[in-house]
Amino acid sequence: MDDGKISTEKYPVVIAGGGLVGALTALLLARGRQDWRIAVLEPQQQGPAQDKRTIALAAATVALLEQIGVWQHVADQASPIEHIHVSDRGHLGMTRLHAAQHGVAAMGQVIAAAALNRALYEACLQETNIEWLGGAWFERAEREPDSITVHYKQHDTEAELTAQLLIGADGQRSQVRDDTGIAMQHTDYQQVGIIATLTLSEDLGGWAYERFTDTGPIALLPLPAQQASLVWSLSPEQAAQTMHLSDAEFLTACQQAFGYRAGRFVAVRDRVQYPLQLHLADSNISHRSVIIGNASHTLHPIAGQGFNLGVRDAIELSEQLLTAQDPGQYRWLSIYNERRQQDYRRIIGLTDSLVRGFSNHHVPLVVGRNLALFGLDNLPPLRHVFARQTMGFRNA
């Protein structure tokens, strides 16, 4: 592998974007199709960008990372989710999920996105059939019946390569998606998410919390050293005011909104905010092109399913192409597109109903959602189905 070489060769597959989903897709394809050479265009020169997010990995995602030999390199940097507590503040409805009751050691893991991305990148460097082009970004593509010419820029030099399939894993502002003309549907939830790292008076002990409040959900995910990753949903006006608070004022406001179930909040760092929206592509495919991960869909973080949905994109696409002579043929891409739609409807339906159902103060809905939480907590078969779905298992 040559990290940085400008290429004019022909490849079965070119991937635009070497982030989490792009690197994982490259790795799965390289392992499954050792007869293929795969090029990855990544704008960052030295490895992936320094992603500051903390992400929740579903149990099925962790199982995949273990299977491909990546997890052992980052396991000591992750915090297990052994218990999940979901509640509606000010009401009696709540449910608790425990990993042991569902036959797993943990229902998920929480890890810094940068650590996982680095591990995937280094795994890609070990594959002789992956050519990682650092400092290269996609510009446009020319499509022919049997090939696609990918134009990109690297080190201020224009270059091109020919492929059979172009995979757009280049994020929410995907240039590949724009180049194909695929339209996106947008839903604005009129909420802003404040993301931060909290230091707590005591360790969360493997508990993750989703607490629904008058302003929107607050999630706490366990981190090492008595820390927690916070996602706090507020109206745009409330978020603007909250971001201007001092650290002490912010901790007080957050504590009042969440309560003391997780102990006291004693310090905060790395506060950022972003609008909470749903973006979903009308289709994942175009002629000899496919978009995956955030290029195809971005979700409200309410159930922590966004990255895990992208992981399943990578799995399904790599499985579809295992026996393909020409990976860009419509037959393979159409099967992939059709199979992913059911998963999208299921997960987006879950997150969208949670956002709308728990952001509404209409009395019948308040009663209904609390009965639903009560039912989950007291009906083991229903709770098991819900748990398997959140853990990302296909037979949920």
Side-chain angles (χ1 to χ4, degrees):
M1 174 183 299
D2 186 347
D3 186 1
K5 173 186 173 184
I6 295 179
S7 174
T8 57
E9 298 182 46
K10 184 173 182 177
Y11 298 82
V13 175
V14 173
I15 301 174
L20 289 164
V21 174
L24 176 61
T25 303
L27 194 57
L28 293 176
L29 286 174
R31 299 269 182 87
R33 293 300 303 259
Q34 295 186 3
D35 56 321
W36 285 356
R37 295 196 67 210
I38 298 158
V40 179
L41 308 179
E42 168 52 45
Q44 297 297 315
Q45 175 60 41
Q46 297 296 326
Q50 286 303 303
D51 193 329
K52 294 184 178 181
R53 293 176 299 159
T54 297
I55 54 175
L57 308 179
T61 296
V62 176
L64 171 69
L65 295 172
E66 288 177 335
Q67 178 185 336
I68 63 176
V70 170
W71 184 248
Q72 58 263 41
H73 299 293
V74 294
D76 61 345
Q77 302 175 58
S79 296
I81 298 174
E82 299 167 345
H83 317 278
I84 299 176
H85 188 284
V86 184
S87 60
D88 193 4
R89 192 164 195 265
H91 303 280
L92 296 177
M94 72 171 185
T95 191
R96 292 154 295 189
L97 306 173
H98 305 284
Q101 293 178 346
H102 303 285
V104 294
M107 301 186 70
Q109 299 276 346
V110 184
I111 192 169
L116 179 57
N117 211 161
R118 171 60 59 173
L120 288 167
Y121 165 70
E122 291 176 353
C124 285
L125 294 184
Q126 302 303 312
E127 300 297 323
T128 58
N129 57 335
I130 296 177
E131 184 171 352
W132 191 283
L133 301 175
W137 60 93
F138 171 87
E139 290 198 318
R140 59 186 176 88
E142 295 176 9
R143 294 163 177 83
E144 301 293 337
D146 298 321
S147 66
I148 184 167
T149 301
V150 177
H151 296 264
Y152 66 99
K153 183 175 285 188
Q154 186 179 29
H155 312 309
D156 296 322
T157 300
E158 300 284 347
E160 65 182 51
L161 51 80
T162 303
Q164 293 174 296
L165 174 65
L166 170 63
I167 300 175
D170 50 344
Q172 186 173 342
R173 298 177 181 177
S174 171
Q175 288 293 110
V176 172
R177 186 187 66 233
D178 290 348
D179 187 72
T180 64
I182 294 174
M184 293 287 280
Q185 300 298 321
H186 306 279
T187 299
D188 189 342
Y189 291 114
Q190 296 299 310
Q191 290 182 340
V192 171
I194 295 181
I195 314 301
T197 299
L198 299 180
T199 300
L200 311 178
S201 60
E202 54 193 70
D203 194 89
L204 285 182
W207 280 91
Y209 293 92
E210 188 87 59
R211 193 132 166 86
F212 296 98
T213 75
D214 290 342
T215 65
I218 300 180
L220 286 183
L221 300 175
L223 293 174
Q226 293 185 205
Q227 295 185 99
S229 175
L230 168 73
V231 182
W232 186 5
S233 301
L234 297 163
S235 71
E237 297 76 18
Q238 291 168 326
Q241 295 170 1
T242 303
M243 286 295 290
H244 283 96
L245 297 176
S246 68
D247 284 355
E249 292 169 333
F250 180 89
L251 288 168
T252 297
C254 189
Q255 190 87 71
Q256 288 175 345
F258 183 85
Y260 288 86
R261 190 179 297 277
R264 290 189 304 106
F265 304 157
V266 298
V268 60
R269 60 180 173 85
D270 300 333
R271 274 190 273 168
V272 296
Q273 64 175 328
Y274 65 94
L276 301 180
Q277 301 170 340
L278 167 65
H279 303 279
L280 182 63
D282 286 347
S283 172
N284 290 322
I285 61 173
S286 183
H287 180 68
R288 294 198 170 272
S289 304
V290 58
I291 54 174
I292 62 176
N294 283 351
S296 167
H297 45 73
T298 55
L299 312 183
H300 193 291
I302 192 169
Q305 293 296 311
F307 170 61
N308 299 289
L309 200 62
V311 168
R312 295 197 291 278
D313 288 347
I315 294 171
E316 183 67 46
L317 184 59
S318 61
E319 288 180 352
Q320 281 301 314
L321 300 182
L322 276 177
T323 58
Q325 290 186 341
D326 179 351
Q329 278 187 333
Y330 176 76
R331 61 174 294 197
W332 304 113
L333 300 185
S334 63
I335 293 172
Y336 165 80
N337 189 53
E338 181 179 344
R339 291 189 175 178
R340 293 306 295 135
Q341 295 308 313
Q342 182 178 356
D343 194 17
Y344 295 164
R345 287 192 294 270
R346 180 170 60 93
I347 296 301
I348 290 170
L350 170 66
T351 58
D352 192 67
S353 62
L354 285 173
V355 173
R356 297 182 187 280
F358 284 91
S359 299
N360 193 307
H361 305 300
H362 192 48
V363 172
L365 278 176
V366 173
V367 172
R369 73 197 188 204
N370 278 270
L371 286 174
L373 289 174
F374 181 81
L376 276 177
D377 202 47
N378 290 276
L379 297 173
L382 182 62
R383 187 172 65 242
H384 184 69
V385 170
F386 180 76
R388 296 283 294 179
Q389 186 169 355
T390 60
M391 289 190 287
F393 292 114
R394 293 186 179 185
N395 59 344

